[in-house]
């Protein structure tokens, strides 16, 4: 038992971390090569990326601003992946949490911040978890593919956010040109527009510590790893795979909902239709790069936060078009996803093979007793 805890805690930088890092490096080199062949100054792009991500205190603030929500979401996504479920619905779960948190904040706008803010964050966590449990239930109880159902829930969340911003919570004092909600009271904000504050950093530190403890010091963490590696063996050991599936879907949705609530009560202060449209999907890439280890997730989130900060800064110092910046992000996301597909397919094939062998063994036992 102790060996299983140590072998699966995922805290170090082992061989699992080398492959995605190499893929990221190759993707960046390919993107830079395309820029060079297109006639753009490669040296200027590289210098601009460094200046915009880590070249100054303001650059580091921008990097942390984008790393914080990526880290929060990716920690939960990694838990879901570790149990063998490919939940790609973090974007919708983030929107659900953001909507719930904002609704609480606006409904209790005259209340004390010490009560309203924790209540709003808890509401965001709960709604994110509930949003994720829909594909989780469909997967564990009905066998529906969680990739399809979680993606469908993303589209529903996008439409729900649009309706919220033009309907019940619409800002009546705005120009009407943008679908947006009322602003939260300034007393409720847990950061300014920079998106970085001691409160947010404290939330991230507490969440990382909680995931480390879950991975390495709890029975639930051990059961999650066992279900992900060999669900049939887990069932023979008395572990209900469906229960673990619902647990990890709930945890993944909870962290995504927390990220949405943090965005609303932090840098945004209100909601706009379609805000941060790539955040949830990029967090999936962060989890894959980190190979589901909580400490590695911190490093991966910082890297992709820096990449996001750099792509926002590059148009200021270079004439690189937005399409080129989208290509840079897309290149990294594409190759990380491609590199993860064989492992995902192999895991699913193993699960199906083990399930078939278990069913055959059960039939043989029944036949022998007959």
């Amino acid at each position: 038992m102790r060996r299983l805890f140590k072998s699966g805690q995922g805290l170090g930088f082992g061989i699992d971390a080398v492959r995605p890092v190499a893929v990221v490096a190759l993707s960046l080199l390919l993107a830079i090569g395309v820029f060079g062949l297109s006639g753009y100054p490669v040296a200027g792009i590289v210098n601009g990326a460094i200046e915009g991500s880590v070249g100054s205190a303001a650059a580091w603030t921008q990097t942390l601003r984008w790393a914080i929500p990526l880290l929060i979401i990716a920690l939960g996504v990694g838990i879901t992946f570790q149990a063998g479920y490919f939940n790609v619905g973090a974007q919708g779960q983030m929107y659900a949490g953001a909507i719930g948190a904002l609704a609480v904040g606006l409904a209790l706008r005259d209340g004390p911040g010490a009560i309203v803010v924790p209540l709003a964050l808890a509401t965001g966590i709960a709604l994110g978890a509930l949003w994720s449990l829909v594909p989780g239930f469909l997967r564990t109880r009905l066998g529906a593919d969680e990739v399809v159902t979680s993606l469908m829930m993303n589209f529903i969340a996008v439409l729900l956010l649009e309706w919220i911003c033009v309907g019940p919570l619409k800002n009546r004092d705005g120009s009407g040109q943008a679908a947006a909600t009322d602003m939260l009271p300034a007393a409720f904000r847990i950061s300014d527009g920079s998106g970085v504050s001691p409160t947010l950093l404290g939330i991230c530190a507490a969440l990382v510590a909680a995931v480390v403890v879950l991975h390495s010091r709890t029975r639930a963490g051990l059961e999650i790893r066992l279900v992900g590696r060999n669900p049939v063996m887990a069932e023979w050991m008395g572990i209900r795979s469906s229960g673990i599936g619902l647990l990890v879907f709930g945890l993944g949705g909870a962290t995504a909902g927390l990220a949405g609530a943090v965005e609303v009560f932090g840098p945004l202060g209100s909601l706009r239709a379609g805000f941060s449209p790539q955040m949830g999907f990029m967090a999936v890439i962060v989890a894959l790069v980190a190979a589901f280890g909580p400490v590695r997730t911190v490093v991966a989130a910082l890297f992709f936060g820096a990449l996001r900060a750099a792509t926002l800064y590059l148009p200021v110092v270079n004439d690189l078009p937005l399409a080129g910046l989208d290509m840079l992000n897309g290149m990294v996301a594409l190759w990380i996803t491609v590199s993860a597909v064989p492992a995902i397919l192999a895991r699913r094939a193993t699960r199906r093979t083990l399930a078939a062998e278990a069913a055959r063994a059960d039939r043989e036992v029944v036949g022998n007793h007959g």
Side-chain angles (χ1 to χ4, degrees):
M1 182 75 71
R2 184 175 300 172
R3 181 178 296 177
L4 281 173
F5 271 117
K6 289 183 178 180
S7 64
Q9 62 188 357
L11 303 182
F13 291 83
I15 189 64
D16 290 339
V18 174
R19 187 181 300 108
V21 169
V23 172
V24 170
L26 177 62
S27 302
L28 293 177
L29 289 175
L30 288 174
I32 292 174
V34 172
F35 293 149
L37 292 174
S38 302
Y40 292 99
V42 172
I45 292 174
V46 173
N47 290 334
I50 294 174
E51 291 176 4
S53 57
V54 296
S56 65
W60 270 107
T61 299
Q62 274 294 296
T63 292
L64 289 174
R65 184 265 176 271
W66 297 109
I68 287 172
L70 288 174
L71 172 64
I72 294 173
I73 299 172
L75 287 170
V77 169
I79 294 173
T80 309
F81 287 175
Q82 198 170 44
Y85 298 99
F86 200 67
N87 173 23
V88 292
Q91 189 70 32
Q93 295 148 24
M94 182 184 75
Y95 282 167
I99 292 170
L102 180 75
V104 170
L106 294 180
L108 303 177
R109 66 175 72 230
D110 296 325
I115 295 176
V116 175
V117 173
L119 179 61
L121 295 182
T123 301
I125 292 172
L127 286 182
L130 288 174
W131 202 264
S132 182
L133 284 175
V134 174
F137 178 85
L138 294 174
R139 172 66 177 86
T140 58
R141 303 302 187 190
L142 303 178
D145 192 303
E146 70 272 19
V147 175
V148 176
T149 55
S150 58
L151 281 175
M152 291 174 63
M153 293 297 290
N154 282 344
F155 290 116
I156 295 173
V158 169
L159 295 175
L160 178 62
L161 177 63
E162 291 180 358
W163 175 70
I164 288 292
C165 291
V166 299
L169 301 181
K170 179 181 179 180
N171 182 1
R172 306 297 176 181
D173 298 328
S175 63
Q177 295 179 353
T181 66
D182 288 332
M183 292 289 296
L184 286 168
F188 292 172
R189 303 285 294 277
I190 57 178
S191 81
D192 55 19
S194 70
V196 180
S197 70
T199 300
L200 291 180
L201 295 177
I203 290 174
C204 290
L207 191 58
V208 171
V211 175
V212 168
V213 172
L214 173 67
H215 277 199
S216 59
R217 293 292 182 268
T218 67
R219 179 184 180 89
L222 176 60
E223 291 178 347
I224 288 170
R225 296 194 299 276
L226 287 175
V227 169
R229 292 173 181 174
N230 193 329
V232 176
M233 180 66 72
E235 292 283 353
W236 288 347
M237 296 175 65
I239 301 171
R240 293 180 63 248
S241 297
S242 60
I244 293 297
L246 290 175
L247 172 64
V248 296
F249 271 97
L251 290 175
T255 60
L258 174 61
V262 162
E263 284 288 285
V264 172
F265 278 73
L268 299 181
S270 67
L271 283 180
R272 291 182 178 273
F275 76 94
S276 300
Q278 299 177 349
M279 187 69 69
F281 299 106
M282 191 58 67
V284 171
I285 305 301
V286 171
L288 292 174
V289 169
F292 319 142
V295 176
R296 291 194 297 263
T297 303
V298 175
V299 178
L302 286 171
F303 172 80
F304 282 94
L307 184 62
R308 175 62 174 167
T311 56
L312 292 175
Y313 181 78
L314 279 173
V316 178
V317 295
N318 291 282
D319 59 350
L320 193 67
L322 292 177
L325 301 177
D326 290 339
M327 186 201 70
L328 178 62
N329 288 318
M331 186 79 74
V332 175
L334 171 65
W335 289 110
I336 285 294
T337 304
V338 168
S339 69
V341 166
I344 295 169
L345 294 179
R347 176 175 290 186
R348 289 192 172 188
T350 301
R351 291 168 69 97
R352 288 194 296 267
T353 301
L354 291 171
E357 291 177 353
R360 184 170 57 253
D362 289 340
R363 288 195 299 269
E364 292 176 354
V365 170
V366 171
N368 292 334
H369 283 291

